[in-house]
């Protein structure tokens, strides 16, 4: 589903160059839930953003369903329509109602009719548990509700892959649960997911595989049992001792 | 603890200052012995004038049919063509059987006409409206070019904005009319509207650029992550939000444009300002006319700012 091959992303500015992603290779198969963890600045968000082309990368290849993102002829809009993304800051469209947030891209990108898009949107809003708020503007919703709308918005495009970029980091603690519940449900339904998160509980419970990144490099990867109980690398042990 | 009653002394002070200013002005004018003639002004808004009704051919007056306050006059040409015209009672200048030549006056009708001030106001309004719409269009395109990744587009936009903002509007109007207008044989209205639109467009471009850049980056990323193209994201996500934010500065720019349009009077477009000057040459009522003209500009600009205020509240529903 996703195949990353020696991906390098270099940020340069003001005379400083940072290798944000430094030779990361991995593969995610269909239906797999991969959780990427690591300290801040380790390049995990940048790597995730490379996967749907929000960041361009400087070297290596990323294949989504066999399509090479490094190929300049690749239509990125087409690829992005197949890859849903959920952001830390929700990024709902504040001038549109909840329902419009979920229907807009369906109509503009997927060319669905208004009625069709609304039916789909209402089904998804029900699924994430906020059907009753469809007429509200995002500013009236709590953080947790906004993030669930953002998930519904991404799902409305029928993506093959869902990327989550620290979806619960901007939430009040009591709202983290409702968002994680939606994500767990998605994982159970067999969605291919890449999740950058600091929620170790979620990683342990839901992940099929955990990737640990530091300073742009993939330090360790393995099953949650291996990762949380018996990590091999010292860097991983140090990180886990600090967060657990 | 503030009580609402504490406003009163300040309102009294405000009133006292305004009355003092008015009294001071009045006193100063009284000293130079200026004879106010406000009664001359209304006729330049609307006047009740007589319009001549003329015979369209060589012929004679055939019938005269008096009605309640009009008179119907039947005219017969030498080729037996028949036409009926209506004139006001008492203003009939021909009698039955008269031979008339084409263009002779049969009589008059009294009608209300728009005076020079109203025509001037009308000219100012359409001039401003036309150049505002063009300025919005130019500004939108230039603003988008200004933030484009393409160096050529960005360079062109920067040069245009710098050139226009760095030269006086009056000089631009002269260039537009006497240079470009002469080369391309433009009439004065085209040159005037063009100069105003290009001038305001540069400022609108900066407003648009600032508006777009004030929208968080995440909005564009969210739109793109859903598979929308840059253009679709702009149209559906970025511009609607930016428009809401730039409405107040944009309105300020258009209000400025209405006022700046007074400068086109230098290329002999009879706008409100030039109408005022023309009235002064025939009445010498300098003070009255300029005060009236100023008041008319003020009415138009305040109506516009009220409209924008209303739109701002309408847009505020999603806040």
């Amino acid at each position: 589903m996703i195949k990353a091959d020696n991906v390098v992303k270099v940020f340069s500015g003001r005379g400083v160059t940072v290798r944000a992603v430094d030779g990361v290779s991995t593969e995610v198969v269909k239906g797999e839930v991969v959780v990427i963890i690591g300290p801040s600045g380790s390049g995990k968000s940048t790597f995730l953003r490379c996967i749907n082309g929000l960041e361009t990368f400087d070297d290596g290849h990323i294949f989504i369903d066999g399509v090479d993102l490094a190929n300049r002829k690749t239509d990125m809009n087409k690829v992005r329509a197949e890859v849903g993304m959920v952001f830390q800051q929700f990024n709902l469209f504040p001038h549109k109602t909840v329902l419009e947030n979920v229907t807009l891209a369906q109509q503009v990108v997927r060319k669905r009719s208004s009625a069709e898009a609304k039916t789909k949107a209402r089904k998804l809003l029900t699924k994430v548990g906020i059907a009753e708020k469809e007429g509200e503007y995002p500013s009236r919703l709590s953080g947790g509700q906004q993030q669930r709308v953002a998930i519904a918005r991404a799902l409305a495009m029928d993506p093959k892959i869902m990327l989550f970029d620290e979806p619960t980091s901007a939430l009040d603690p009591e709202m983290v649960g409702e968002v994680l519940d939606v994500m767990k449900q998605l994982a159970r339904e067999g969605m291919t997911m890449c999740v950058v998160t600091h929620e170790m509980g979620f990683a342990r419970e839901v992940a099929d595989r955990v990737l640990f990144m530091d300073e742009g490099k993939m330090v360790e990867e393995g099953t949650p049992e291996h990762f949380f109980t018996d990590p091999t690398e010292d860097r991983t042990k140090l990180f886990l001792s600090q967060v657990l | 603890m503030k009580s609402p009653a504490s406003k009163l002394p300040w309102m009294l002070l405000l009133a006292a200052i305004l009355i003092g200013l008015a009294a001071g002005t009045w006193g100063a004018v009284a000293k130079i012995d200026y004879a106010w003639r406000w009664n001359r002004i209304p006729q330049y808004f609307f006047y009740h004038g007589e319009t001549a009704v003329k015979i369209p051919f060589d012929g004679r007056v055939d019938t005269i049919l008096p009605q309640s306050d009009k008179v119907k006059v039947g005219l017969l040409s030498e080729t037996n063509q028949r036409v009926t015209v209506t004139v006001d009672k008492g203003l009939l200048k021909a009698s039955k059987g008269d031979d008339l030549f084409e263009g002779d006056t049969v009589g008059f009708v009294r009608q209300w006409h728009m005076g020079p001030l109203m025509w001037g106001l009308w000219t100012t309004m359409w001039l401003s409206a036309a150049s505002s719409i063009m300025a919005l269009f130019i500004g939108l395109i230039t603003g988008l070019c200004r933030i484009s990744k393409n160096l050529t587009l960005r360079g062109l936009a920067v040069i245009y904005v710098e050139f226009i903002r760095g030269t006086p509007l009056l000089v631009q109007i002269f260039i537009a009319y006497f240079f470009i207008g002469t080369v391309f044989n433009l009439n004065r209205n085209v040159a005037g509207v063009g100069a105003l639109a290009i001038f305001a467009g540069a400022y609108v471009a900066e407003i648009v650029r600032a508006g777009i850049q004030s929208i968080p980056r995440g909005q564009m990323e969210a739109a793109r992550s859903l598979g929308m193209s840059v253009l679709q994201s702009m149209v559906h996500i970025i511009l609607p939000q930016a428009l809401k934010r730039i409405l107040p500065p944009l309105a300020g720019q258009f209000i400025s444009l209405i006022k700046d349009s007074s400068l086109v009077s230098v290329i002999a477009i009879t706008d409100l300002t030039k109408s005022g000057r023309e009235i002064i040459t025939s009445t010498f009522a300098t003070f009255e006319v300029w005060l009236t003209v100023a008041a008319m500009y003020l009415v138009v600009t305040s109506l516009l700012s009220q409209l924008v205020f209303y739109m701002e509240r309408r847009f505020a529903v999603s806040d």
Side-chain angles (χ1 to χ4, degrees):
Chain A
M1 211 63 183
I2 308 174
K3 186 169 182 294
D5 182 15
N6 200 25
V7 177
V8 176
K9 169 72 187 178
V10 182
F11 287 113
S12 54
R14 299 201 190 91
V16 189
T17 54
V18 180
R19 294 176 78 82
V21 180
D22 195 358
V24 172
S25 303
T26 189
E27 201 164 341
V28 180
V29 299
K30 192 167 168 19
E32 194 179 19
V33 178
V34 172
V35 171
I36 308 172
I37 61 175
S40 42
S42 59
K44 52 196 191 306
S45 284
T46 309
F47 177 60
L48 200 69
R49 290 160 59 86
C50 285
I51 295 176
N52 79 341
L54 284 178
E55 301 280 0
T56 52
F57 43 93
D58 298 280
D59 198 11
H61 295 274
I62 295 177
F63 299 91
I64 306 279
D65 234 3
V67 181
D68 186 3
L69 302 193
N71 188 342
R72 309 192 82 206
K73 287 187 189 133
T74 301
D75 181 356
M76 282 313 302
N77 295 329
K78 222 170 216 168
V79 174
R80 288 199 192 97
E82 309 297 334
V83 181
M85 175 116 181
V86 175
F87 298 87
Q88 185 178 354
Q89 298 298 336
F90 330 134
N91 294 344
L92 291 182
F93 307 135
H95 62 302
K96 304 248 175 226
T97 62
V98 165
L99 189 67
E100 287 165 347
N101 262 281
V102 185
T103 54
L104 180 72
Q106 296 189 59
Q107 290 176 265
V108 172
V109 181
R110 291 272 191 247
K111 309 287 178 208
R112 289 178 190 151
S113 71
S114 171
E116 200 183 344
K118 275 183 186 158
T119 314
K120 174 107 193 161
R122 292 209 170 98
K123 211 177 91 195
L124 287 166
L125 287 173
T126 310
K127 180 173 172 177
V128 299
I130 33 177
E132 75 283 0
K133 301 275 188 192
E134 65 165 57
E136 296 277 9
Y137 284 97
S139 56
R140 303 271 164 82
L141 304 184
S142 72
Q145 291 170 328
Q146 290 194 42
Q147 194 60 297
R148 285 185 281 150
V149 174
I151 294 173
R153 180 177 69 177
L155 289 176
M157 300 298 290
D158 298 319
K160 293 176 187 153
I161 302 162
M162 284 285 285
L163 307 176
F164 295 82
D165 186 6
E166 304 196 25
T168 56
S169 298
L171 295 177
D172 289 341
E174 76 264 30
M175 291 167 183
V176 170
E178 59 192 59
V179 173
L180 291 181
D181 285 344
V182 171
M183 290 167 64
K184 284 174 197 166
Q185 191 191 342
L186 270 181
R188 275 198 301 274
E189 289 167 6
M191 175 64 80
T192 312
M193 290 163 68
C194 270
V195 186
V196 169
T197 186
H198 296 296
E199 296 294 329
M200 297 303 151
F202 176 82
R204 198 178 285 207
E205 184 186 336
V206 184
D208 296 313
R209 193 151 50 94
V210 178
L211 312 183
F212 177 69
M213 280 180 75
D214 189 33
E215 291 177 341
K217 291 194 169 64
M218 181 88 71
V219 176
E220 188 160 359
E221 79 177 279
T223 60
E225 299 87 75
H226 159 79
F227 188 83
F228 287 105
T229 54
D230 182 28
T232 45
E233 301 289 328
D234 288 342
R235 184 66 191 90
T236 317
K237 285 177 191 159
L238 179 65
F239 176 77
L240 286 174
S241 71
Q242 279 159 346
V243 297
L244 290 180
Chain B
M1 186 65 186
K2 276 184 189 166
S3 70
S6 68
K7 275 187 193 163
L8 188 64
W10 298 108
M11 283 169 73
L12 286 175
L13 181 62
L14 176 65
I17 291 173
L18 290 177
I19 291 169
L21 278 174
T25 313
W26 184 262
V29 174
K31 262 197 179 147
I32 60 159
D33 197 23
Y34 182 83
W36 291 95
R37 293 199 185 84
W38 281 108
N39 59 331
R40 288 189 177 179
I41 301 302
Q43 59 176 320
Y44 293 105
F45 283 94
F46 294 102
Y47 63 94
H48 206 194
E50 292 176 356
T51 313
V53 178
K54 292 173 174 172
I55 182 166
F57 41 62
D58 293 349
R60 65 186 169 80
V61 179
D62 186 39
T63 56
I64 292 184
L65 283 174
Q67 285 166 336
S68 60
D69 56 345
K70 303 268 182 203
V71 180
K72 278 201 161 163
V73 183
L75 303 167
L76 192 65
S77 80
E78 286 168 347
T79 55
N80 272 335
Q81 209 182 334
R82 185 173 286 280
V83 171
T84 309
V85 294
T86 312
V87 301
D88 282 5
K89 194 169 233 174
L91 295 173
L92 178 63
K93 298 297 178 196
S95 31
K96 192 168 171 171
D98 280 1
D99 285 321
L100 297 174
F101 294 110
E102 181 180 341
D104 281 354
T105 302
V106 180
F108 294 91
V109 285
R110 294 182 68 87
Q111 280 176 319
W112 282 103
H113 294 273
M114 287 215 301
L117 283 177
M118 293 310 285
W119 279 117
L121 181 66
W122 165 245
T123 307
T124 290
M125 300 242 290
W126 77 252
L127 217 61
S128 314
S131 31
S132 293
I133 292 166
M134 281 171 63
L136 192 61
F137 192 69
I138 295 173
L140 197 60
I141 303 287
T142 314
L144 288 172
C145 289
R146 188 83 168 66
I147 51 172
S148 151
K149 284 198 184 107
N150 186 306
L151 191 66
T152 312
L153 290 176
R154 214 165 57 224
L156 284 174
V158 170
I159 291 167
Y160 160 63
V161 169
E162 286 306 310
F163 182 81
I164 295 300
R165 292 204 306 183
T167 51
L169 175 56
L170 190 55
V171 175
Q172 290 168 19
I173 290 172
F174 283 139
I175 293 176
Y177 185 52
F178 291 112
F179 170 45
I180 300 171
T182 309
V183 173
F184 293 101
N185 197 19
L186 303 177
N187 84 23
R188 62 186 81 249
N189 287 333
V190 175
V193 169
L196 287 174
I198 288 171
F199 173 78
Y203 288 87
V204 172
E206 285 299 279
I207 295 171
V208 167
R209 177 185 66 81
I212 291 173
Q213 286 179 339
S214 77
I215 305 300
R217 249 179 52 151
Q219 289 293 309
M220 181 54 110
E221 287 181 352
R224 297 304 302 282
S225 79
L226 290 167
M228 291 196 219
S229 68
V230 175
L231 186 70
Q232 288 168 334
S233 312
M234 271 288 166
V235 169
H236 293 285
I237 306 302
I238 306 296
L239 288 180
Q241 293 183 59
L243 182 67
K244 194 168 122 184
R245 293 195 186 180
I246 66 180
L247 202 58
L250 213 50
Q253 191 55 50
F254 289 146
I255 287 170
S256 279
L257 183 61
I258 293 176
K259 296 182 294 173
D260 290 340
S261 74
S262 65
L263 285 173
V264 298
S265 60
V266 298
I267 54 171
I269 294 175
T270 313
D271 73 329
L272 188 49
T273 304
K274 184 147 188 298
S275 299
R277 281 219 311 258
E278 285 171 1
I279 295 166
I280 289 168
T281 57
S282 59
T283 60
F284 298 107
T286 319
F287 293 9
E288 294 90 329
V289 170
W290 284 131
L291 291 177
T292 308
V293 166
M296 289 171 79
Y297 276 112
L298 191 60
V299 168
V300 175
T301 51
S302 3
L303 283 178
L304 185 60
S305 41
Q306 283 302 310
L307 178 73
V308 173
F309 182 60
Y310 168 78
M311 282 168 72
E312 267 179 66
R313 273 181 302 166
R314 281 286 306 275
F315 281 149
V317 287
S318 60
D319 288 340

